Amino acid sequence: MKPFCRDTWVEVDLDAIRANVETFRGHLPKSTGIMAVVKADGYGHGAVHVAREALASGADSLAVAMLDEAIILRTAGIDAPILVLGYTPADSVEQASRLNVELTAYSPEWIVSANQRLEQAELRPVGVHVKTDTGMGRLGVRTTDDLLEVVAALENSAKLEWTGIFTHFACADEPDTTHVRRQHETFQSFLQALREQGKKLPKVHCCNTAAAIAFPDWGYDTIRLGIGLYGLYPSPYMKERADVPLVPALSLKTRIAHVKTAVEPFTVSYGATYTAKLGERIATLPIGYADGYSRLLSNRGEVLYNGSRYPIVGRVCMDQIMVRLEPGAGQVDEEIVLYGKQGDEEISLDEVAALLGTINYEVPCMLNYRIPRVYVRNKEVAEVFHPLAMK
Ligand SMILES: Cc1ncc(COP(=O)(O)O)cc1O
């Protein structure tokens, strides 16, 4: 039985995931680990399958945004170390203990509350990475005094173990390195203050993809590899540097559902914003904004057919789009590439992001549960995962 009933799918090249991990492995000091960031369902690629491939390729731990995402990985049988990068309410700490998932902390009050809950539940200790805010302005302590207070609270907690300390860079992907260098200096001053207090530092980490590319010697115990794992660069500037070759892993494909030739002019889609001229060939494709294919691509985006670019005509609908092909071209069930390569052409996530006025991170994250993920290895389908798959 077909694993999905609508011929629209995300194709994830597991060989690309492997290649990207191996590229960073070779770029980093041997003592630096790789924490594969698989939050947001693996940046839209599928967290479980990407996590498995990343771990098999040289990553040694995983990171997610929230405990719920860690639960999915554990439920899938993944037993590698997992760090929750975001805030976890203290009333969820029992789950972290039961699943042996590490959490992020930066508040003495949270530490006291979480420790009390674990003591009352008589559960095993939870590993905690202390977050320092050196210039992201998001989660984390901003002063040495606050940092020492958080560490003291952890040392007084029988059920919380201090297993890491980290920071996150706001501008590591930019050509001007003033901000990122200042952040790193602040992070170093935090580490030095802890050493001067006689603290033995746990796992230390600060690099995202951009910092790992630009400052591999800041790798410390591990980097947190997100966008680079998927073969995408954090910014156009980082792509231009090209000192770390990456292979994009994601393609988005569909098949022609219907095609017609205009025997007289006719308008296309809601709002009648496009009029097909006599002889034009209009194909309908089964994908729309309810899949996470943005309506902002109406009358602006392009698709690949037979290795050439063709325009989206009319407004993107909830479930369908229309494209204009060459006169007489196109047959039902022929393959169309919406993101990715076909022949010598490529519609990159960078290009789509630019059209949408956003960054490449957001484009794959928009692709939702309606689109099955087809995992390819050595150009063969290795596995298909469809949240809506008929059992
Ligand atoms: C705390 C944290 N750490 C790391 C990442 C990964 O960043 P990239 O996708 O740019 O590598 C994200 C994040 O929120």
Side-chain angles (χ1 to χ4, degrees):
M1 182 171 69
K2 270 183 73 176
F4 47 89
C5 305
R6 176 186 66 161
D7 281 336
T8 297
W9 67 101
V10 161
E11 213 160 275
V12 177
D13 179 356
L14 295 176
D15 298 329
I17 299 292
R18 170 173 291 273
N20 297 327
V21 172
E22 291 173 351
T23 293
F24 278 93
R25 184 63 281 153
H27 183 67
L28 294 162
K30 294 209 177 334
S31 59
T32 297
I34 295 176
M35 182 187 289
V37 182
V38 292
K39 62 183 179 161
D41 196 21
Y43 290 35
H45 295 63
V48 170
H49 293 81
V50 168
R52 286 179 180 143
E53 192 63 31
L55 293 166
S57 307
D60 42 61
S61 66
L62 303 170
V64 294
M66 62 189 84
L67 184 54
D68 310 77
E69 293 178 328
I71 292 168
I72 289 171
L73 296 171
R74 286 283 187 258
T75 305
I78 293 172
D79 55 16
I82 303 175
L83 171 63
V84 175
L85 297 170
Y87 168 66
T88 304
D91 63 7
S92 299
V93 72
E94 291 94 328
Q95 272 280 62
S97 172
R98 290 190 188 95
L99 294 169
N100 191 24
V101 171
E102 294 183 298
L103 302 179
T104 290
Y106 40 84
S107 152
E109 295 74 18
W110 182 92
I111 289 165
V112 170
S113 172
N115 184 63
Q116 280 171 350
R117 298 186 73 92
L118 292 170
E119 287 186 327
Q120 285 158 7
E122 296 180 343
L123 288 169
R124 66 180 170 189
V126 168
V128 166
H129 289 221
V130 174
K131 181 75 183 284
T132 65
D133 176 7
T134 57
M136 181 70 185
R138 211 168 58 178
L139 301 180
V141 295
R142 286 192 62 85
T143 68
T144 302
D145 287 349
D146 287 350
L147 173 59
L148 294 174
E149 192 182 347
V150 166
V151 170
L154 283 173
E155 289 169 336
N156 291 328
S157 301
K159 291 292 186 177
L160 296 175
E161 287 175 12
W162 183 28
T163 55
I165 180 167
F166 69 112
T167 199
H168 190 48
F169 294 131
C171 306
D173 61 347
E174 297 182 2
D176 180 349
T177 60
T178 307
H179 191 91
V180 68
R181 290 184 185 279
R182 189 180 306 128
Q183 282 198 253
H184 185 241
E185 285 161 11
T186 302
F187 187 54
Q188 288 181 308
S189 68
F190 283 151
L191 300 180
Q192 185 53 28
L194 290 165
R195 292 188 191 99
E196 287 166 1
Q197 293 291 319
K199 307 300 179 191
K200 182 180 181 319
L201 297 183
K203 181 180 273 192
V204 176
H205 47 111
C206 65
C207 286
N208 54 7
T209 295
I213 291 172
F215 309 104
D217 54 337
W218 294 0
Y220 293 98
D221 297 307
T222 190
I223 63 160
R224 301 189 304 276
L225 179 62
I227 198 77
L229 174 62
Y230 306 98
L232 303 171
Y233 292 93
S235 66
Y237 162 68
M238 299 302 287
K239 189 169 187 176
E240 282 153 27
R241 284 176 57 118
D243 42 354
V244 172
L246 298 177
V247 183
L250 183 137
S251 303
L252 177 61
K253 300 181 176 179
T254 189
R255 294 187 184 281
I256 296 174
H258 183 44
V259 60
K260 61 184 77 164
T261 297
V263 294
E264 81 280 334
F266 61 80
T267 59
V268 177
S269 192
Y270 294 113
T273 61
Y274 179 81
T275 300
K277 300 169 189 60
L278 187 65
E280 281 191 356
R281 188 82 162 155
I282 306 298
T284 301
L285 309 179
I287 187 166
Y289 59 75
D291 299 295
Y293 190 80
S294 175
R295 190 170 176 276
L296 294 174
L297 294 170
S298 302
N299 290 300
R300 298 173 66 224
E302 292 182 316
V303 302
L304 300 180
Y305 169 67
N306 274 355
S308 297
R309 287 170 173 266
Y310 293 94
I312 293 173
V313 290
R315 287 178 183 161
V316 171
C317 307
M318 183 178 286
D319 316 301
Q320 300 172 92
I321 63 172
M322 276 61 74
V323 298
R324 186 184 68 233
L325 302 177
E326 298 292 351
Q331 299 297 323
V332 170
D333 291 339
E334 285 188 299
E335 186 172 296
I336 298 273
V337 170
L338 301 145
Y339 302 157
K341 292 182 177 175
Q342 193 183 65
D344 297 334
E345 271 291 355
E346 178 180 15
I347 295 181
S348 69
L349 295 182
D350 298 326
E351 173 186 337
V352 177
L355 266 181
L356 300 181
T358 187
I359 55 175
N360 55 12
Y361 293 68
E362 185 177 7
V363 178
C365 289
M366 292 163 69
L367 301 175
N368 64 30
Y369 66 95
R370 293 211 314 184
I371 305 179
R373 270 57 174 178
V374 175
Y375 296 93
V376 174
R377 191 194 310 282
N378 301 326
K379 300 193 187 325
E380 297 284 324
V381 175
E383 196 173 345
V384 176
F385 176 77
H386 191 346
L388 290 179
M390 296 193 288
K391 297 293 174 211

